[in-house]
Amino acid sequence: MNWIILIIAGLFEVGFATSLEKARQTHGIESWLWWSGFLVSIFFSMTLLYKASETLPIGTAYAIWTGIGAVGTVLIGMIFFKEPTDFWRLFFIATLISSIVGLKIVSHE
């Protein structure tokens, strides 16, 4: 169950990174709404990371949390913010995903 909580925490990390970018791109009330989304996302992300680390080793939990956030944020950037998509970016995203899966495989709950 804590692995699911950790994955959700990582998805909220993607949410707060995406909210930061959208807040930067907008002005006025729309920017404030994105800042609100950032605060909500960071609250849930940190709370869920804390909950998952109650039974998972903190080093493993943190590495997986940041990995999910990094991969998700890069993919969001490529899909929605027109960031470059080239072989090396995709290659290193694949290595990050492999590392996340590897940590899950070798971790004992």
Side-chain angles (χ1 to χ4, degrees):
M1 181 63 175
N2 281 321
W3 286 103
I4 294 170
I5 290 171
L6 185 59
I7 290 168
I8 294 168
L11 294 174
F12 273 109
E13 183 182 6
V14 174
F16 76 71
T18 303
S19 295
L20 276 177
E21 177 63 13
K22 290 299 286 183
R24 188 184 65 78
Q25 293 178 352
T26 57
H27 303 289
I29 190 73
E30 187 178 358
S31 180
W32 285 106
L33 290 172
W34 283 109
W35 276 108
S36 298
F38 166 78
L39 292 173
V40 169
S41 294
I42 203 164
F43 171 80
F44 283 112
S45 184
M46 294 294 175
T47 301
L48 293 171
L49 175 62
Y50 172 79
K51 177 69 177 153
S53 69
E54 289 177 345
T55 59
L56 301 173
I58 189 62
T60 300
Y62 183 75
I64 290 174
W65 176 76
T66 57
I68 292 169
V71 169
T73 302
V74 168
L75 292 175
I76 292 291
M78 288 177 177
I79 295 166
F80 295 106
F81 300 123
K82 308 296 186 239
E83 292 180 2
T85 304
D86 58 36
F87 171 79
W88 289 111
R89 285 176 64 96
L90 296 174
F91 173 78
F92 288 115
I93 289 171
T95 61
L96 267 172
I97 293 169
S98 299
S99 297
I100 293 167
V101 170
L103 279 171
K104 166 63 173 115
I105 290 169
V106 301
S107 296
H108 306 344
E109 203 167 325

